[in-house]
Coordinates of all heavy atoms in Angstrom, one line a residue:
M1 N 158.8 78.2 133.2 CA 159.1 79.6 133.2 C 158.7 80.3 134.5 O 157.6 80.0 135.0 CB 158.4 80.2 132.0 CG 158.6 81.7 131.9 SD 157.9 82.4 130.4 CE 156.3 82.8 131.0
L2 N 159.6 81.0 135.0 CA 159.3 81.8 136.2 C 158.9 83.2 135.9 O 159.4 83.8 134.9 CB 160.5 81.8 137.1 CG 161.0 80.5 137.7 CD1 162.3 80.7 138.5 CD2 160.0 79.9 138.5
G3 N 157.9 83.7 136.6 CA 157.5 85.1 136.4 C 156.6 85.5 137.5 O 156.3 84.7 138.5
N4 N 156.1 86.7 137.4 CA 155.2 87.2 138.4 C 153.8 87.6 137.8 O 153.8 88.0 136.6 CB 155.7 88.5 139.1 CG 157.0 88.2 139.9 OD1 157.0 87.3 140.7 ND2 158.0 89.0 139.7
L5 N 152.8 87.4 138.6 CA 151.4 87.8 138.1 C 150.9 88.9 139.1 O 151.1 88.7 140.3 CB 150.5 86.6 138.2 CG 150.5 85.6 137.1 CD1 149.6 84.5 137.4 CD2 150.3 86.1 135.8
S6 N 150.2 89.9 138.6 CA 149.6 90.8 139.5 C 148.3 90.1 140.0 O 147.8 89.1 139.4 CB 149.2 92.1 138.7 OG 148.2 91.8 137.8
V7 N 147.7 90.7 141.0 CA 146.5 90.2 141.5 C 145.4 90.2 140.4 O 144.6 89.3 140.3 CB 146.0 91.0 142.8 CG1 144.6 90.6 143.2 CG2 147.0 90.8 143.9
Q8 N 145.4 91.3 139.7 CA 144.4 91.4 138.6 C 144.6 90.4 137.5 O 143.6 89.8 137.0 CB 144.4 92.8 138.0 CG 143.4 93.1 137.0 CD 142.0 93.1 137.6 OE1 141.7 93.7 138.6 NE2 141.1 92.3 137.0
E9 N 145.8 90.1 137.1 CA 146.1 89.1 136.1 C 145.6 87.7 136.6 O 145.0 87.0 135.8 CB 147.6 89.0 135.8 CG 148.1 90.2 135.0 CD 149.6 90.3 134.9 OE1 150.3 89.9 135.9 OE2 150.1 90.7 133.8
L10 N 145.9 87.4 137.9 CA 145.5 86.1 138.4 C 144.0 86.0 138.5 O 143.4 85.0 138.1 CB 146.1 85.8 139.8 CG 145.7 84.5 140.4 CD1 146.1 83.3 139.5 CD2 146.4 84.4 141.8
E11 N 143.3 87.1 138.9 CA 141.9 87.1 138.9 C 141.3 86.9 137.6 O 140.3 86.1 137.4 CB 141.4 88.5 139.5 CG 139.9 88.6 139.7 CD 139.5 89.9 140.3 OE1 140.0 91.0 139.8 OE2 138.6 89.9 141.1
N12 N 141.8 87.6 136.6 CA 141.4 87.4 135.2 C 141.5 85.9 134.7 O 140.6 85.4 134.1 CB 142.1 88.3 134.2 CG 141.7 89.7 134.4 OD1 140.7 90.1 134.9 ND2 142.6 90.6 133.9
R13 N 142.7 85.3 135.1 CA 142.9 83.9 134.6 C 142.0 83.0 135.3 O 141.5 82.0 134.8 CB 144.4 83.6 134.9 CG 145.3 84.4 134.0 CD 146.6 83.9 133.8 NE 146.6 82.5 133.4 CZ 147.6 81.7 133.6 NH1 148.7 82.2 134.1 NH2 147.6 80.5 133.2
I14 N 141.7 83.2 136.6 CA 140.7 82.4 137.3 C 139.3 82.6 136.7 O 138.6 81.6 136.5 CB 140.7 82.8 138.8 CG1 142.0 82.3 139.5 CG2 139.5 82.1 139.5 CD1 142.2 82.9 140.9
Y15 N 138.9 83.8 136.4 CA 137.6 84.1 135.8 C 137.5 83.4 134.4 O 136.4 82.9 134.1 CB 137.5 85.6 135.7 CG 136.1 86.0 135.0 CD1 135.0 86.0 135.8 CD2 136.1 86.4 133.7 CE1 133.8 86.3 135.2 CE2 134.9 86.8 133.1 CZ 133.7 86.7 133.9 OH 132.5 87.1 133.3
Q16 N 138.6 83.4 133.7 CA 138.6 82.7 132.4 C 138.7 81.2 132.4 O 138.7 80.5 131.4 CB 139.7 83.2 131.5 CG 139.6 84.7 131.2 CD 140.9 85.2 130.5 OE1 141.9 84.5 130.3 NE2 140.9 86.6 130.2
K17 N 138.9 80.7 133.7 CA 139.0 79.2 134.0 C 140.2 78.6 133.3 O 140.2 77.5 132.7 CB 137.7 78.5 133.6 CG 136.5 79.0 134.4 CD 135.3 78.1 134.1 CE 134.0 78.6 134.8 NZ 134.1 79.0 136.1
D18 N 141.3 79.4 133.2 CA 142.6 78.8 132.7 C 143.0 77.6 133.5 O 142.7 77.6 134.7 CB 143.7 79.9 132.8 CG 143.6 81.0 131.8 OD1 142.7 80.9 130.9 OD2 144.4 81.9 131.8
E19 N 143.6 76.6 132.9 CA 144.0 75.5 133.6 C 145.3 75.8 134.3 O 146.3 76.1 133.6 CB 144.2 74.3 132.6 CG 142.8 73.8 132.1 CD 142.9 72.3 131.6 OE1 143.8 71.6 132.1 OE2 142.1 72.0 130.8
M20 N 145.3 75.7 135.6 CA 146.5 75.9 136.4 C 146.3 75.4 137.8 O 145.1 75.1 138.2 CB 146.8 77.4 136.5 CG 145.7 78.2 137.1 SD 145.9 80.0 137.0 CE 144.3 80.6 137.1
I21 N 147.3 75.2 138.5 CA 147.3 74.7 139.9 C 147.7 75.9 140.7 O 148.8 76.5 140.4 CB 148.2 73.5 140.1 CG1 147.7 72.3 139.3 CG2 148.2 73.2 141.6 CD1 148.7 71.2 139.3
I22 N 146.9 76.3 141.7 CA 147.3 77.4 142.6 C 147.7 76.8 143.9 O 146.9 76.1 144.5 CB 146.2 78.4 142.8 CG1 145.7 79.0 141.4 CG2 146.6 79.5 143.7 CD1 144.5 79.9 141.5
V23 N 148.9 77.0 144.3 CA 149.5 76.5 145.5 C 149.7 77.7 146.5 O 150.3 78.7 146.2 CB 150.8 75.8 145.3 CG1 151.4 75.4 146.7 CG2 150.7 74.6 144.4
D24 N 149.1 77.6 147.7 CA 149.2 78.6 148.8 C 150.2 78.0 149.8 O 150.0 76.9 150.3 CB 147.8 78.8 149.4 CG 147.8 79.9 150.4 OD1 148.8 80.1 151.1 OD2 146.8 80.6 150.5
T25 N 151.3 78.7 149.9 CA 152.4 78.2 150.8 C 152.4 78.6 152.2 O 153.2 78.3 153.0 CB 153.8 78.6 150.2 OG1 153.9 80.0 150.2 CG2 154.0 78.0 148.8
R26 N 151.3 79.3 152.6 CA 151.2 79.8 154.0 C 150.8 78.7 154.9 O 150.4 77.6 154.5 CB 150.1 80.9 154.1 CG 150.4 82.1 153.2 CD 149.3 83.2 153.2 NE 148.1 82.5 152.7 CZ 146.9 82.9 153.0 NH1 146.7 83.8 154.0 NH2 145.8 82.3 152.5
Q27 N 151.0 78.9 156.2 CA 150.7 77.9 157.2 C 149.2 77.7 157.2 O 148.4 78.6 156.9 CB 151.2 78.4 158.6 CG 152.7 78.5 158.7 CD 153.3 77.2 158.3 OE1 153.0 76.1 158.9 NE2 154.3 77.2 157.4
P28 N 148.7 76.5 157.6 CA 147.3 76.1 157.5 C 146.4 77.1 158.2 O 145.3 77.3 157.7 CB 147.3 74.7 158.2 CG 148.6 74.2 158.0 CD 149.6 75.4 158.1
A29 N 146.7 77.7 159.3 CA 145.8 78.6 160.0 C 145.5 79.8 159.1 O 144.3 80.3 159.1 CB 146.4 79.0 161.3
F30 N 146.5 80.3 158.4 CA 146.3 81.5 157.5 C 145.5 81.1 156.3 O 144.7 81.8 155.8 CB 147.6 82.1 157.1 CG 148.4 82.7 158.3 CD1 149.5 82.1 158.8 CD2 147.9 83.9 158.9 CE1 150.2 82.7 159.9 CE2 148.6 84.5 159.9 CZ 149.7 83.9 160.4
Y31 N 145.8 79.9 155.8 CA 145.1 79.4 154.6 C 143.6 79.2 155.0 O 142.7 79.6 154.2 CB 145.7 78.0 154.2 CG 144.9 77.3 153.1 CD1 145.1 77.7 151.8 CD2 144.0 76.3 153.4 CE1 144.4 77.0 150.8 CE2 143.3 75.6 152.4 CZ 143.5 76.0 151.1 OH 142.8 75.3 150.1
E32 N 143.3 78.6 156.1 CA 141.9 78.4 156.5 C 141.2 79.7 156.7 O 140.0 79.8 156.4 CB 141.9 77.6 157.8 CG 142.2 76.1 157.6 CD 141.4 75.4 156.6 OE1 140.1 75.6 156.6 OE2 141.9 74.5 155.9
E33 N 141.9 80.7 157.2 CA 141.3 82.1 157.4 C 140.8 82.7 156.1 O 139.7 83.3 156.1 CB 142.3 83.0 158.1 CG 141.7 84.3 158.6 CD 142.8 85.1 159.3 OE1 143.3 84.6 160.3 OE2 143.0 86.2 158.9
H34 N 141.6 82.6 155.1 CA 141.3 83.1 153.8 C 142.2 82.6 152.7 O 143.4 82.6 153.0 CB 141.3 84.6 153.8 CG 140.8 85.3 152.6 ND1 139.5 85.3 152.3 CD2 141.4 85.9 151.5 CE1 139.3 85.9 151.1 NE2 140.5 86.3 150.6
H35 N 141.7 82.2 151.6 CA 142.6 81.7 150.5 C 141.8 81.9 149.2 O 140.6 82.1 149.1 CB 143.0 80.3 150.7 CG 141.9 79.3 150.8 ND1 141.2 79.0 151.9 CD2 141.2 78.6 149.8 CE1 140.2 78.1 151.7 NE2 140.2 77.9 150.4
I36 N 142.6 81.8 148.1 CA 142.0 81.8 146.8 C 141.2 80.6 146.5 O 141.7 79.5 146.8 CB 143.2 81.9 145.7 CG1 144.0 83.2 145.9 CG2 142.6 81.9 144.3 CD1 145.2 83.3 145.1
P37 N 140.0 80.7 146.1 CA 139.1 79.5 145.8 C 139.8 78.5 144.9 O 140.4 78.9 143.9 CB 137.9 80.1 145.2 CG 137.8 81.5 145.7 CD 139.2 81.9 145.8
G38 N 139.9 77.3 145.3 CA 140.5 76.3 144.4 C 142.0 76.1 144.7 O 142.6 75.1 144.2
A39 N 142.6 76.9 145.5 CA 144.0 76.8 145.8 C 144.2 75.6 146.8 O 143.4 75.3 147.6 CB 144.6 78.1 146.5
I40 N 145.4 75.0 146.6 CA 145.7 73.9 147.6 C 146.8 74.4 148.5 O 147.6 75.3 148.1 CB 146.2 72.6 146.8 CG1 147.4 72.9 146.0 CG2 145.1 72.0 146.0 CD1 148.1 71.7 145.4
N41 N 146.8 73.9 149.7 CA 147.7 74.4 150.7 C 148.9 73.4 150.9 O 148.7 72.3 151.2 CB 146.9 74.5 152.1 CG 147.8 75.2 153.2 OD1 147.7 74.7 154.3 ND2 148.5 76.2 152.9
I42 N 150.0 73.9 150.5 CA 151.3 73.2 150.8 C 152.2 74.1 151.5 O 152.9 74.9 150.9 CB 151.9 72.7 149.5 CG1 151.0 71.8 148.7 CG2 153.2 72.0 149.8 CD1 151.5 71.3 147.3
P43 N 152.1 74.1 152.9 CA 153.0 75.0 153.6 C 154.5 74.8 153.4 O 155.0 73.7 153.2 CB 152.7 74.7 155.1 CG 151.4 73.9 155.0 CD 151.4 73.2 153.7
F44 N 155.2 76.0 153.3 CA 156.6 76.0 153.0 C 157.3 76.4 154.2 O 157.0 77.5 154.8 CB 156.9 76.9 151.8 CG 158.3 76.9 151.4 CD1 158.8 75.9 150.6 CD2 159.2 77.9 151.8 CE1 160.1 75.9 150.2 CE2 160.5 77.9 151.4 CZ 161.0 76.9 150.6
G45 N 158.2 75.6 154.7 CA 159.0 76.0 155.8 C 160.5 76.2 155.4 O 160.8 76.9 154.5
F46 N 161.4 75.4 156.1 CA 162.8 75.5 155.8 C 163.2 74.6 154.7 O 164.3 74.7 154.1 CB 163.6 75.2 157.0 CG 163.4 76.3 158.1 CD1 162.6 76.0 159.2 CD2 164.0 77.5 157.9 CE1 162.4 77.1 160.1 CE2 163.8 78.5 158.9 CZ 163.0 78.3 160.0
E47 N 162.4 73.6 154.4 CA 162.6 72.6 153.3 C 161.5 72.5 152.3 O 160.3 72.9 152.7 CB 162.9 71.2 153.9 CG 164.0 71.1 154.8 CD 164.2 69.7 155.3 OE1 163.5 68.8 154.9 OE2 165.0 69.5 156.2
M48 N 161.7 72.1 151.1 CA 160.7 71.9 150.2 C 159.8 70.8 150.6 O 160.2 69.7 150.9 CB 161.3 71.5 148.8 CG 160.3 71.4 147.7 SD 159.5 72.9 147.2 CE 160.8 73.8 146.4
P49 N 158.4 71.1 150.8 CA 157.5 70.1 151.2 C 157.4 68.9 150.2 O 157.5 69.1 149.0 CB 156.2 70.8 151.3 CG 156.5 72.2 151.2 CD 157.8 72.4 150.5
Q50 N 157.3 67.7 150.7 CA 157.2 66.5 149.9 C 156.1 66.6 148.9 O 156.2 66.2 147.7 CB 157.1 65.3 150.7 CG 158.4 64.7 151.3 CD 159.4 64.4 150.2 OE1 160.5 65.0 150.2 NE2 159.1 63.5 149.3
E51 N 155.0 67.2 149.3 CA 153.8 67.3 148.4 C 154.2 68.1 147.1 O 153.6 67.8 146.0 CB 152.6 68.0 149.1 CG 152.1 67.3 150.3 CD 152.8 67.8 151.6 OE1 153.9 68.4 151.5 OE2 152.2 67.5 152.6
A52 N 155.1 69.0 147.2 CA 155.5 69.8 146.0 C 156.0 68.9 144.9 O 155.9 69.2 143.7 CB 156.5 70.8 146.4
Y53 N 156.7 67.8 145.2 CA 157.3 67.0 144.2 C 156.3 66.1 143.5 O 156.6 65.6 142.4 CB 158.4 66.0 144.9 CG 159.5 66.8 145.4 CD1 159.7 67.0 146.8 CD2 160.5 67.4 144.6 CE1 160.7 67.8 147.3 CE2 161.6 68.1 145.1 CZ 161.7 68.3 146.4 OH 162.7 69.0 146.9
S54 N 155.1 66.0 144.0 CA 154.0 65.2 143.4 C 153.1 66.1 142.4 O 152.3 65.5 141.8 CB 153.2 64.5 144.4 OG 152.5 65.4 145.2
L55 N 153.3 67.3 142.4 CA 152.5 68.2 141.5 C 152.9 67.9 140.0 O 154.0 67.6 139.7 CB 152.8 69.7 141.8 CG 152.4 70.2 143.1 CD1 152.9 71.6 143.4 CD2 150.9 70.1 143.3
P56 N 151.9 67.9 139.1 CA 152.1 67.5 137.7 C 153.0 68.6 137.1 O 152.7 69.8 137.1 CB 150.7 67.5 137.1 CG 149.8 68.2 138.1 CD 150.5 68.2 139.4
K57 N 154.1 68.2 136.5 CA 155.1 69.1 135.9 C 154.6 69.7 134.6 O 155.1 70.7 134.1 CB 156.4 68.4 135.8 CG 157.0 68.1 137.1 CD 158.3 67.4 137.0 CE 158.9 67.0 138.4 NZ 158.1 66.9 139.5
E58 N 153.6 69.0 134.0 CA 153.2 69.5 132.6 C 152.1 70.6 132.8 O 151.7 71.1 131.8 CB 152.6 68.3 131.8 CG 151.4 67.6 132.4 CD 151.7 66.6 133.5 OE1 152.8 66.3 133.7 OE2 150.7 66.2 134.1
Q59 N 151.6 70.8 134.0 CA 150.6 71.9 134.2 C 151.2 73.1 134.8 O 152.1 73.0 135.6 CB 149.5 71.3 135.1 CG 148.2 72.2 135.0 CD 147.1 71.4 135.6 OE1 147.2 70.3 136.0 NE2 145.9 72.0 135.5
E60 N 150.7 74.3 134.5 CA 151.2 75.5 135.1 C 150.9 75.5 136.5 O 149.7 75.2 136.9 CB 150.6 76.7 134.3 CG 151.1 78.0 134.8 CD 150.6 79.2 134.1 OE1 149.6 79.1 133.4 OE2 151.3 80.3 134.2
I61 N 151.8 76.0 137.3 CA 151.6 76.0 138.8 C 151.8 77.5 139.2 O 152.9 78.1 138.9 CB 152.6 75.1 139.5 CG1 152.4 73.7 139.1 CG2 152.5 75.3 141.0 CD1 153.5 72.7 139.6
I62 N 150.8 78.0 139.8 CA 150.9 79.4 140.4 C 151.1 79.3 141.9 O 150.3 78.6 142.5 CB 149.6 80.2 140.1 CG1 149.2 80.1 138.6 CG2 149.7 81.6 140.6 CD1 150.2 80.8 137.7
V63 N 152.1 79.9 142.4 CA 152.4 79.8 143.8 C 152.2 81.2 144.5 O 152.7 82.2 144.0 CB 153.9 79.3 144.1 CG1 154.2 79.2 145.5 CG2 154.2 78.0 143.3
C64 N 151.5 81.2 145.6 CA 151.3 82.4 146.3 C 151.6 82.2 147.8 O 151.5 81.1 148.3 CB 149.8 82.9 146.1 SG 148.6 81.8 146.7
C65 N 151.9 83.3 148.4 CA 152.2 83.2 149.9 C 151.9 84.6 150.5 O 151.3 85.4 149.8 CB 153.7 82.9 150.1 SG 154.9 84.1 149.5
Y66 N 152.3 84.8 151.7 CA 151.9 86.0 152.4 C 152.6 87.3 151.8 O 151.9 88.2 151.5 CB 152.3 85.8 153.9 CG 151.8 87.0 154.8 CD1 150.5 87.3 154.9 CD2 152.7 87.8 155.4 CE1 150.1 88.3 155.7 CE2 152.3 88.9 156.1 CZ 151.0 89.1 156.3 OH 150.6 90.2 157.1
I67 N 153.9 87.3 151.7 CA 154.6 88.4 151.2 C 155.5 88.2 150.0 O 156.1 89.1 149.5 CB 155.4 89.1 152.3 CG1 156.5 88.2 152.8 CG2 154.6 89.7 153.4 CD1 157.5 88.8 153.8
G68 N 155.5 87.0 149.4 CA 156.2 86.7 148.2 C 157.5 86.0 148.3 O 158.1 85.7 147.3
L69 N 158.0 85.9 149.6 CA 159.3 85.3 149.7 C 159.3 83.8 149.5 O 160.1 83.2 148.8 CB 159.9 85.6 151.1 CG 160.2 87.1 151.3 CD1 160.7 87.4 152.7 CD2 161.2 87.6 150.3
S70 N 158.4 83.1 150.2 CA 158.4 81.6 150.0 C 157.9 81.2 148.6 O 158.3 80.1 148.1 CB 157.6 80.9 151.1 OG 156.2 81.3 151.1
S71 N 157.1 81.9 148.0 CA 156.6 81.6 146.7 C 157.8 81.6 145.7 O 157.8 80.9 144.7 CB 155.4 82.4 146.2 OG 155.8 83.8 146.1
K72 N 158.7 82.5 145.9 CA 159.9 82.6 145.0 C 160.8 81.4 145.2 O 161.5 81.0 144.3 CB 160.7 83.9 145.3 CG 159.9 85.1 144.7 CD 160.8 86.4 145.0 CE 160.0 87.6 144.5 NZ 160.7 88.8 144.8
A73 N 160.9 80.9 146.4 CA 161.7 79.7 146.7 C 161.1 78.4 146.3 O 161.8 77.4 146.1 CB 162.0 79.7 148.2
F74 N 159.8 78.4 146.1 CA 159.1 77.1 145.8 C 159.4 76.7 144.4 O 159.8 76.0 143.8 CB 157.6 77.4 145.9 CG 156.7 76.2 146.0 CD1 156.5 75.6 147.2 CD2 156.1 75.7 144.9 CE1 155.7 74.5 147.3 CE2 155.3 74.6 145.0 CZ 155.1 74.0 146.2

């Protein structure tokens, strides 16, 4: 299911320790500068990164990026 979460909703889910995978699609330099604790970095460019295909399909995946465009394409 596709949808959007507000920052507050995601913060609440992290606080409640909901089981989910958080993927940060920004370039490594931006990820290293600041990221959501526990998020994994899978940079998104012009093609779907190979690492994306190995994510477990039975677990909820939350995708975040700088302005929302690459997370919608992920």
Side-chain angles (χ1 to χ4, degrees):
M1 178 173 91
L2 296 176
N4 293 313
L5 286 176
S6 70
V7 172
Q8 186 62 51
E9 289 170 322
L10 181 57
E11 183 179 43
N12 289 341
R13 296 201 47 205
I14 291 169
Y15 180 76
Q16 294 170 2
K17 299 189 185 314
D18 284 358
E19 288 202 30
M20 61 188 154
I21 298 170
I22 302 173
V23 176
D24 187 324
T25 64
R26 298 173 301 148
Q27 295 304 308
F30 293 109
Y31 173 83
E32 290 299 325
E33 187 177 305
H34 187 73
H35 61 271
I36 297 169
I40 58 173
N41 186 222
I42 303 179
F44 184 81
F46 294 104
E47 296 180 8
M48 182 68 70
Q50 278 302 117
E51 299 92 341
Y53 295 105
S54 65
L55 294 171
K57 294 176 182 28
E58 65 279 351
Q59 195 164 3
E60 183 176 20
I61 299 171
I62 307 295
V63 181
C64 62
C65 67
Y66 185 66
I67 59 173
L69 297 176
S70 62
S71 63
K72 288 181 182 178
F74 198 81

